[in-house]
Amino acid sequence: ATSNQVIDFGNLTLGRKITGNTITGNTGHGIVSILTKYMQFQAQLGGNTISANGGFGWFTRANRDATVNVEFGNTLLTNTSNTLFAHHDAGVGFDLTDDVTGQILMNNVTATNTVNGSDAAFNGEGIKVKIARRVLLSAVIVDRATVSGNISNGIAVEMVESTRIANLTISNSNIFGNLNGVSLNRTGPADLFAILDHNDIHNNTADGLNVFVTNRKTAILEFDLFDN
């Protein structure tokens, strides 16, 4: 999409939503949004099965002051679940750069059996959020997810340069059979406030929780882990 547009799949009152779809067997991605230059994008998703597409299951790429507000599984929807399996690069992928703002909320998502594909920034994750260059997200929340059988990490967050996630919460989720269960990778002066709460992270090939940090004195890294 071009600059200064509003793409609205996220107003439940007006019936603007992505619900009840089966999207399978496409050569490209299941659902893809490419945003730039002051664009605003919002989406509500529920009751979708997205499978066996040649790229990502869900992919959002945004830059240059775009705004991204995406919610999987709002509890007001009749069916909150979204199932994404057998994709390349990532089941759910976000690649945000250059002053993007917004939030990403994922409730009752299943992301399984992802393999590596052609995008060098993604390696077969179940869910991956990658941000760089002054991206500010108020929240990245994953709750009641099932993430398994992915060739790379189950849930991955990668932060580069001057970025900030004010609230990263992974809770009540079952994460197993991946490379690492949860991978948090922070490079440079990025601020991250993370909570992992009541997750079952087991039988991953490498680590349950893998944290890689290159520190800067001006950056903040804060973790709370409860009952995992």
Side-chain angles (χ1 to χ4, degrees):
T2 57
S3 63
N4 296 302
Q5 290 185 338
V6 177
I7 300 176
D8 186 3
F9 292 105
N11 190 318
L12 298 182
T13 302
L14 297 177
R16 295 172 182 163
K17 55 192 177 181
I18 302 171
T19 58
N21 300 287
T22 299
I23 302 172
T24 186
N26 298 287
T27 303
H29 310 305
I31 300 176
V32 59
S33 52
I34 307 297
L35 318 167
T36 189
K37 205 171 183 181
Y38 308 112
M39 289 201 60
Q40 299 177 47
F41 177 66
Q42 58 186 32
Q44 295 276 356
L45 295 93
N48 300 292
T49 298
I50 306 172
S51 66
N53 297 290
F56 294 79
W58 170 280
F59 183 52
T60 297
R61 172 169 284 140
N63 60 30
R64 298 181 67 187
D65 297 281
T67 301
V68 174
N69 292 295
V70 174
E71 183 169 9
F72 291 78
N74 187 303
T75 55
L76 295 176
L77 294 169
T78 303
N79 186 346
T80 63
S81 69
N82 289 279
T83 299
L84 305 99
F85 65 91
H87 290 105
H88 296 77
D89 296 310
V92 178
F94 290 85
D95 188 356
L96 313 178
T97 61
D98 297 312
D99 303 290
V100 169
T101 58
Q103 63 179 5
I104 300 165
L105 310 177
M106 287 177 266
N107 172 51
N108 197 12
V109 169
T110 298
T112 61
N113 297 99
T114 315
V115 298
N116 197 10
S118 60
D119 192 316
F122 295 81
N123 301 294
E125 293 85 3
I127 298 169
K128 182 172 181 178
V129 177
K130 178 179 180 292
I131 65 174
R133 295 193 297 274
R134 302 171 305 282
V135 169
L136 303 176
L137 299 180
S138 60
V140 175
I141 296 177
V142 180
D143 186 52
R144 295 195 306 136
T146 299
V147 187
S148 68
N150 300 289
I151 199 70
S152 185
N153 303 305
I155 299 174
V157 176
E158 181 179 332
M159 307 173 67
V160 180
E161 302 170 14
S162 299
T163 55
R164 180 183 178 92
I165 299 176
N167 174 16
L168 169 65
T169 299
I170 301 171
S171 56
N172 304 305
S173 294
N174 193 12
I175 305 167
F176 63 95
N178 309 286
L179 176 59
N180 296 300
V182 176
S183 172
L184 306 178
N185 186 321
R186 192 200 73 178
T187 303
D191 295 339
L192 174 63
F193 301 84
I195 299 171
L196 275 68
D197 183 15
H198 284 86
N199 300 290
D200 188 357
I201 305 173
H202 62 98
N203 293 108
N204 296 286
T205 303
D207 303 318
L209 171 62
N210 181 280
V211 180
F212 177 81
V213 176
T214 56
N215 278 316
R216 289 282 297 270
K217 291 182 179 180
T218 56
I220 300 171
L221 180 65
E222 182 175 305
F223 283 95
D224 291 310
L225 280 76
F226 303 103
D227 297 318
N228 295 287

